[in-house]
Amino acid sequence: MASSRAALVAEVLWELKRADKVATYSAIATRAGFSAGTGGRTMRTCLKTVRRDWPHLQWWRAISDDGAVKAGGEQERELKELGVPVGTKKDDQAKVDLDNEFMMSWAEPSEAPV
């Protein structure tokens, strides 16, 4: 049975898919109402559950806070296919440009003065 946090992450991933966007672990966890955990540990656990229980969801839309993805891995391929800038590779890591138009922002718009 899926954890309640994983179910909340699944909802956010569905929102990202509909918006054709990606987001960091911390942004997704905050949107879902919890902390991503030290080094994204809680989010990685949730994503494992999402991949197992909801394989149709695009788990790869969740990016670690430092933008690192496995070079040559499924996530890098999917992000590139979407058009997300993935840059410099070091060892077995590639870096996602976290400052691009594909990043989801749930920030509330500023209210205009009356």
Side-chain angles (χ1 to χ4, degrees):
M1 173 173 228
S3 75
S4 60
R5 284 184 179 167
L8 293 169
V9 168
E11 290 294 325
V12 176
L13 288 172
W14 180 244
E15 186 177 348
L16 289 171
K17 181 179 178 179
R18 287 189 312 243
D20 208 25
K21 299 281 186 179
V22 298
T24 63
Y25 287 176
S26 290
I28 293 169
T30 298
R31 181 76 172 167
F34 62 92
S35 168
T38 304
R41 186 174 177 186
T42 303
M43 273 298 298
R44 285 194 308 274
T45 300
C46 288
L47 289 170
K48 285 179 187 176
T49 302
V50 166
R51 289 183 77 178
R52 182 191 70 218
D53 294 350
W54 298 284
H56 65 285
L57 291 176
Q58 297 173 343
W59 65 271
W60 49 265
R61 291 181 182 272
I63 301 168
S64 66
D65 289 358
D66 65 359
V69 297
K70 182 178 178 187
E74 180 182 4
Q75 186 174 26
E76 182 187 22
R77 285 190 307 275
E78 292 287 355
L79 291 169
K80 282 182 173 179
E81 188 173 308
L82 181 63
V84 174
V86 179
T88 314
K89 295 180 181 181
K90 184 176 181 182
D91 299 321
D92 67 339
Q93 297 284 305
K95 285 284 193 180
V96 174
D97 176 7
L98 297 178
D99 187 29
N100 67 72
E101 73 268 18
F102 290 98
M103 293 301 293
M104 179 67 128
S105 172
W106 286 286
E108 294 296 319
S110 317
E111 290 191 30
V114 181

